């Protein structure tokens, strides 16, 4: 293949990969603006009839698109989804953009499927970016699998767990106030 054909192939592959996240954005707008209401009473019914999605799938796509956007915002220049060029993007004063410390190699590997970002949807944007970068490193600079991303999230969660200050045999009072997991378990 010629160099132009290879560049076109890469550009088209990136469009296909990004399509999942564009679908999530479209679903979010359909849901938020209730554009399904003329034919269906619920968003879930609409998605099932129109797209064949099971109940949870459209919400996963919506969550994944939010993560994808966060990752793009952390390193908007030189990402794999844009047309690749050997010219570095420079600021008007001749210096590189302020995102260089986040993306020192001027290129960012982005997710290609909803499943890859599912483990990081509940994290804060900065944490999402850190987890994703760690997962890319562990995958050898390639797009990491969902398992690799999940493992990174699991290690972070284990590392940040608060120690239990109580010992077996101690009596303590459980307050279920703002913790839904403790509802119905209040008392001693």
């Amino acid at each position: 293949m010629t160099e132009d054909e290879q560049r076109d192939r890469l550009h088209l592959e990136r469009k296909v990969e990004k399509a999942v996240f564009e679908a999530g954005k479209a679903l979010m707008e359909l849901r938020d603006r209730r554009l399904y209401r003329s034919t269906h009473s619920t968003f879930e019914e609409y998605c099932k009839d129109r797209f064949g999605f099971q109940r949870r799938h459209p919400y996963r796509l919506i969550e994944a698109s939010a993560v994808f956007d966060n990752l793009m915002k952390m390193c908007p220049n030189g990402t794999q989804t844009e047309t690749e060029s050997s010219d570095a993007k420079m600021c008007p004063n001749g210096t590189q953009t302020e995102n260089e410390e986040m993306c020192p190699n001027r290129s960012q590997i982005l997710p290609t499927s909803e499943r890859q970002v599912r483990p990081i949807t509940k994290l804060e944007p900065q944490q999402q970016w850190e987890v994703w970068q760690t997962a890319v490193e562990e995958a050898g600079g390639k797009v990491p699998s969902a398992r690799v991303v999940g493992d990174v999230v699991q290690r972070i969660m284990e590392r940040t767990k608060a120690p239990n200050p109580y010992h077996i045999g101690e009596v303590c009072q459980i307050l279920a106030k703002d913790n839904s997991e403790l509802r119905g378990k209040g008392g001693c």
Side-chain angles (χ1 to χ4, degrees):
M1 284 196 326
T2 68
E3 211 173 286
D4 286 340
E5 288 174 327
Q6 289 176 351
R7 187 174 51 250
D8 289 345
R9 184 193 72 200
L10 180 64
H11 177 71
L12 293 170
E13 287 172 349
R14 300 300 183 228
K15 277 186 167 187
V16 170
E17 291 167 349
K18 194 174 179 181
V20 170
F21 304 105
E22 291 299 323
K25 287 180 186 180
L27 286 166
M28 184 179 353
E29 188 167 345
L30 285 165
R31 181 198 62 191
D32 293 350
R33 293 179 54 197
R34 298 187 65 229
L35 297 176
Y36 55 85
R37 68 184 181 271
S38 65
T39 56
H40 294 82
S41 58
T42 67
F43 179 65
E44 292 82 7
E45 283 178 21
Y46 168 74
C47 288
K48 185 173 183 176
D49 288 349
R50 178 66 177 89
F51 306 111
F53 291 159
Q54 296 301 316
R55 180 170 166 37
R56 184 70 189 120
H57 189 64
Y59 295 105
R60 286 182 176 151
L61 290 174
I62 290 169
E63 291 169 349
S65 70
V67 171
F68 187 82
D69 284 346
N70 290 338
L71 294 175
M72 287 286 292
K73 286 175 189 169
M74 294 291 179
C75 188
N77 297 324
T79 61
Q80 72 174 6
T81 58
E82 296 175 4
T83 305
E84 295 189 4
S85 168
S86 58
D87 302 330
K89 294 187 179 179
M90 303 292 267
C91 291
N93 63 3
T95 61
Q96 291 187 340
T97 62
E98 70 258 6
N99 288 335
E100 184 178 357
E101 60 271 1
M102 285 193 207
C103 305
N105 63 358
R106 310 290 301 142
S107 180
Q108 178 189 19
I109 304 296
L110 292 172
T112 57
S113 75
E114 172 272 327
R115 183 73 181 103
Q116 293 166 324
V117 298
R118 195 179 299 173
I120 61 177
T121 57
K122 303 298 183 215
L123 301 176
E124 295 297 319
Q126 183 63 35
Q127 288 177 308
Q128 291 172 350
W129 186 82
E130 291 169 3
V131 166
W132 183 255
Q133 293 305 314
T134 303
V136 167
E137 288 173 16
E138 288 187 13
K142 297 180 181 171
V143 177
S145 67
R147 177 178 283 164
V148 171
V149 177
D151 290 347
V152 172
V153 170
Q154 185 65 34
R155 283 197 310 271
I156 288 173
M157 293 302 181
E158 287 173 2
R159 189 173 54 211
T160 59
K161 280 185 181 175
N164 185 354
Y166 303 105
H167 302 286
I168 295 175
E170 281 188 294
V171 177
C172 61
Q173 184 173 3
I174 297 174
L175 300 174
K177 187 176 179 178
D178 293 326
N179 189 338
S180 60
E181 292 177 8
L182 295 177
R183 284 207 180 100
K185 297 182 174 114
C188 296

